[in-house]
Amino acid sequence: MLSRVVDSLYWMSRYLERAEHHARLLDVNLHGLVDQNPEFAQKRRQRLLKTFDPELTDSDDLIMDILLNRNHPNSILSCIASARENARHVREQISSEMWEQVNRLYLYVNKAKPADIAVNPNHYLTQVKKGSQLFQGITDSTMSHAEGWQFIHVGRYMERASCIIRLLEVFLEDVEIGEDEEVALDQYSDWVGLLKSCTAFEAYCRSYQSYISSPRIVSFLVLDQTFPHSIRFSADLVKASLLDISEITQTRKVGNVNRLSGRISATLDYALIDDIRSDPAKFLMDIQRQYALLHESIYTTYISYPVETGL
C-alpha cells in the first residue's frame, strides 16, 4: 500500500474520532453547566476549554468557536473537513458507503449556522456523534479487514487513547483521587460528568453498582480491559492491529513499532491504581509520551520511510 494512502487513512480515522470525542465532551458539559451554581459552572467551563486547547481564552462565543472555527485544528468543523479531505484522497481504497457517510456528515456541519445551533445544541452535537459512529460501523461492515482497515483501526484507537489521557490530565489537575469511598456531594456531578464524557457511566455502574468512587472511576477509565473507551483497551487494539499489519506487509524494520506498542500495552496491563494515584500527572504524561514515540515510529516505518527501505 502506498505511503500516501496509509497517511490519509490513518488521519481520516483520527480526525473523525476527535470530532466525535469533542462533540460528546461539549454535549455532556453544556448540560452540566446548567445544573451547577455559577462558581462550579465556571470551573467546569475552564476545565472544558483547557481540554480543547490550553491557549484558548474565555469569551461568550467561545463554544461556537470550538464548533465552527475552520482556522482552529481542533474545532469540530475543522476535524470533519480534514477527515473528508483525507477520504477524498483515498476514494479508491474505501467503500462508496464510507465516502457517502463522511461527505454527508461534512455537508451537515458545514451548513450549520450559529443561531440554529444555539437554539438546540444537543441536536447538533448528537448528529455529529451519530455521524461519526455510523462511519465506524459502515467501515467495519463494508471494507475488507486488510491492511487499510488495520491502519484505520490504529488511527481510531491512537486518537481515542490520546483524547482520554488529555481529558484525565486536565480533570485531575483540579480534582484529587481520594480514598475508595463515595465522593463528596459537591464533587459528585464532576465525577459523573467525567464518566459520561467517555460514554462510561452505564458500563461503570454495571461493574461497580453505582458506587461513585474516584479511584474506581480512574481505574476503570485507564486500566479496564474490556471497556472500549478505556486507555488500556485502546492500547491493546493498537498493538493487535500493528502486529497484523506487520504480518500482512512483511515490512522490514517493524520491530520498533511493535516493541513500542507492546510496551504501552504492558505498562497498562501491570499498572495498579496506586501507581496512578501517587502521581497521576506523571503516569499519564508517560503514557502520552510513549504514544508520541509510537506515532513517530509508525511514520518512519510505514509513511515517511527512506527510499532505500522501500526498495
Side-chain angles (χ1 to χ4, degrees):
M1 180 172 284
L2 295 175
S3 59
R4 67 167 181 82
V5 173
V6 171
D7 192 34
S8 291
L9 292 173
Y10 176 76
W11 280 110
M12 174 191 71
S13 185
R14 289 199 69 151
Y15 280 125
L16 279 173
E17 181 65 29
R18 190 179 305 175
E20 194 257 343
H21 174 79
H22 287 173
R24 183 173 58 255
L25 201 58
L26 274 173
D27 195 23
V28 169
N29 283 278
L30 287 177
H31 277 87
L33 293 174
V34 175
D35 296 334
Q36 291 183 322
N37 65 49
E39 180 182 354
F40 283 106
Q42 183 60 25
K43 288 182 179 179
R44 192 164 185 172
R45 181 181 171 91
Q46 291 297 329
R47 192 185 303 144
L48 172 65
L49 301 182
K50 194 172 182 180
T51 303
F52 282 102
D53 186 344
E55 297 181 0
L56 286 175
T57 54
D58 203 350
S59 65
D60 292 337
D61 61 347
L62 186 56
I63 299 301
M64 289 301 170
D65 204 40
I66 292 172
L67 291 173
L68 301 176
N69 186 353
R70 281 185 174 274
N71 297 320
H72 196 290
N74 283 334
S75 76
I76 289 176
L77 175 57
S78 180
C79 287
I80 293 175
S82 296
R84 178 182 180 270
E85 183 63 16
N86 279 284
R88 188 179 66 81
H89 290 161
V90 289
R91 283 284 302 272
E92 73 283 358
Q93 297 290 334
I94 63 177
S95 67
S96 58
E97 291 88 353
M98 291 169 64
W99 168 250
E100 289 168 3
Q101 174 56 26
V102 72
N103 196 47
R104 186 182 301 115
L105 180 58
Y106 168 75
L107 292 174
Y108 174 78
V109 298
N110 189 52
K111 71 178 183 181
K113 299 293 188 292
D116 297 332
I117 297 174
V119 172
N120 189 359
N122 172 258
H123 176 76
Y124 174 84
L125 295 168
T126 298
Q127 292 305 308
V128 173
K129 289 186 292 181
K130 286 183 176 179
S132 300
Q133 292 163 355
L134 181 57
F135 180 85
Q136 292 179 11
I138 290 172
T139 299
D140 290 345
S141 61
T142 65
M143 189 175 182
S144 296
H145 290 200
E147 183 184 355
W149 181 85
Q150 296 289 359
F151 276 111
I152 291 174
H153 233 219
V154 170
R156 179 190 306 168
Y157 288 102
M158 289 270 288
E159 184 65 34
R160 183 174 297 180
S162 295
C163 287
I164 301 300
I165 291 170
R166 178 62 185 160
L167 177 62
L168 285 170
E169 281 178 332
V170 173
F171 185 85
L172 294 176
E173 285 179 3
D174 297 332
V175 183
E176 293 185 355
I177 304 174
E179 299 299 323
D180 188 14
E181 56 189 26
E182 288 270 14
V183 299
L185 188 60
D186 61 345
Q187 293 185 350
Y188 183 88
S189 63
D190 282 337
W191 285 102
V192 170
L194 176 64
L195 286 171
K196 289 183 177 180
S197 296
C198 304
T199 69
F201 183 67
E202 290 83 1
Y204 172 86
C205 289
R206 280 191 285 271
S207 296
Y208 293 107
Q209 290 77 47
S210 303
Y211 188 81
I212 305 301
S213 157
S214 57
R216 297 188 188 191
I217 291 175
V218 174
S219 178
F220 186 76
L221 295 177
V222 177
L223 304 177
D224 192 85
Q225 192 174 7
T226 59
F227 179 61
H229 281 262
S230 78
I231 299 172
R232 181 180 176 185
F233 184 94
S234 295
D236 290 343
L237 266 290
V238 169
K239 174 186 172 184
S241 289
L242 288 172
L243 286 171
D244 287 343
I245 290 169
S246 65
E247 291 179 4
I248 293 169
T249 61
Q250 296 295 308
T251 304
R252 296 179 183 135
K253 299 182 180 179
V254 298
N256 193 49
V257 172
N258 292 337
R259 180 182 63 82
L260 289 170
S261 63
R263 186 170 70 178
I264 297 172
S265 189
T267 299
L268 294 165
D269 284 350
Y270 293 101
L272 300 172
I273 185 59
D274 289 338
D275 301 327
I276 305 172
R277 179 162 37 191
S278 60
D279 193 344
K282 181 177 181 297
F283 182 89
L284 293 168
M285 188 181 299
D286 180 62
I287 299 296
Q288 192 74 291
R289 180 185 60 82
Q290 291 186 54
Y291 268 113
L293 292 174
L294 177 59
H295 170 79
E296 292 176 7
S297 185
I298 290 171
Y299 252 71
T300 56
T301 302
Y302 293 108
I303 299 171
S304 59
Y305 51 80
V307 175
E308 294 80 5
T309 303
L311 295 175

